[in-house]
Amino acid sequence: MTGPVAQVRRRRLPGLAAQLMLWIYAAIAFGPLVLVALGSFRSNADILQRPVGLPDSLDLGNYLRAWETASVSTYFTNSILVTVGAVALCVAVSATAAYALSRWRFPGRALLAAFFLSGLMIPAKLGLLPVFYMFQSMGLIDTRLGLILLYAASGVPFSIFVIMGFMRGLPTELEEAARLDGAGEGRLFVSVALPLMRPALAVVTVFQFAPTWNDFFYPLVLLRSSDRYTIPVGLTRFFGEFATDRAALFAGLVIALVPLALIFAFATRQIISGLTAGMSR
């Protein structure tokens, strides 16, 4: 078959093949998550008899048992405090620094920007030993504050890199108009720059939230008390104590995934606009 119809079909085939591959990948990626979510509503005996199956009813008893008996509530609260605190501090510092480095002209600006961005070339975990001794001398070992400061500092180089690249592509007319109206630098930053930064801030927030929430290494090394464990470390203890209670294990995993699912769901539009802003100019 030749003609316009055949040409349209030939053009659509690569797109259909790409969509099919994406759907297959999504099924492979989300399949285990769906099984875990379904298993969290099933009884332990039912899971042992039928590892794969649908729940007979939406029983929340597994979630209550994981939340109260297995101390998931403590681990979850610690993770929320550490992650939200670290991301908020990182975004606040990075937005301020990126705005100054991209808009102000002062001696040493390029050198200071290079200093911040050099942190992208050095894996943070290589400096664990000096960080450990520094935290020990400051009394920050086995504290949530220590983790917040460490995560915030680790995320600053990447965050400044993203926000600076975004700010350099934005026009300066609005800021110049605000200056003509008598706005100071503080008001200019809060009322003009921050709203313009929103897509970049969403990208930074998500890209810092996910690894901080899922990090296992730093809490394992820096925390000593079980009542300060974050959820990745707490779940390893949970797995040991409740190894035979698979329904409660599934419920604990679902609880750990909820914040990540929510933040990706609510920030997807801002993430896409932030990642594509540079390509659209």
Side-chain angles (χ1 to χ4, degrees):
M1 183 182 294
T2 59
V5 176
Q7 293 179 2
V8 171
R9 289 182 178 178
R10 284 196 296 269
R11 291 174 183 174
R12 291 181 60 184
L13 284 177
L16 293 175
Q19 290 183 14
L20 179 61
M21 293 179 62
L22 289 174
W23 279 110
I24 293 174
Y25 172 78
I28 295 173
F30 286 98
L33 299 179
V34 173
L35 293 178
V36 168
L38 293 175
S40 66
F41 294 105
R42 300 170 62 191
S43 65
N44 195 47
D46 187 24
I47 293 175
L48 293 176
Q49 292 176 0
R50 295 183 301 124
V52 179
L54 297 175
D56 298 328
S57 61
L58 297 180
D59 184 11
L60 298 178
N62 297 327
Y63 287 91
L64 294 176
R65 190 163 65 256
W67 186 260
E68 297 175 356
T69 307
S71 301
V72 172
S73 59
T74 301
Y75 308 144
F76 187 88
T77 303
N78 289 336
S79 286
I80 287 291
L81 293 174
V82 170
T83 304
V84 172
V87 172
L89 180 60
C90 175
V91 170
V93 172
S94 302
T96 307
Y99 173 75
L101 291 172
S102 60
R103 287 294 191 259
W104 295 355
R105 298 292 182 267
F106 54 89
R109 181 177 66 93
L111 183 62
L112 184 60
F115 172 76
F116 279 118
L117 298 181
S118 65
L120 293 172
M121 299 182 292
I122 304 173
K125 291 181 175 60
L126 291 180
L128 178 63
L129 190 60
V131 168
F132 181 87
Y133 286 125
M134 180 179 67
F135 276 21
Q136 191 175 45
S137 65
M138 299 171 64
L140 293 176
I141 296 294
D142 197 25
T143 64
R144 288 182 287 263
L145 177 60
L147 284 178
I148 290 173
L149 295 176
L150 180 58
Y151 286 133
S154 300
V156 164
F158 172 79
S159 301
I160 289 180
F161 174 75
V162 171
I163 300 173
M164 279 183 62
F166 184 82
M167 288 296 297
R168 286 172 177 170
L170 293 177
T172 60
E173 284 79 3
L174 288 176
E175 299 167 33
E176 293 172 355
R179 284 193 179 93
L180 292 175
D181 290 338
E185 291 299 330
R187 182 62 181 272
L188 189 65
F189 174 72
V190 173
S191 300
V192 179
L194 279 182
L196 295 175
M197 288 182 194
R198 189 169 60 181
L201 296 181
V203 172
V204 168
T205 298
V206 173
F207 276 76
Q208 294 303 321
F209 189 98
T212 302
W213 179 269
N214 291 326
D215 185 58
F216 177 81
F217 183 72
Y218 286 131
L220 180 67
V221 174
L222 299 178
L223 297 179
R224 299 290 182 267
S225 304
S226 59
D227 61 341
R228 293 185 176 90
Y229 284 166
T230 57
I231 205 161
V233 179
L235 284 179
T236 59
R237 184 182 180 188
F238 181 34
F239 293 156
E241 294 180 358
F242 292 82
T244 58
D245 192 349
R246 298 185 182 180
L249 287 177
F250 290 157
L253 290 173
V254 172
I255 292 173
L257 291 173
V258 166
L260 292 177
L262 290 177
I263 193 169
F264 273 103
F266 285 108
T268 298
R269 182 175 298 178
Q270 294 295 332
I271 293 172
I272 295 174
S273 62
L275 290 176
T276 58
M279 294 184 288
S280 63
R281 293 186 177 89

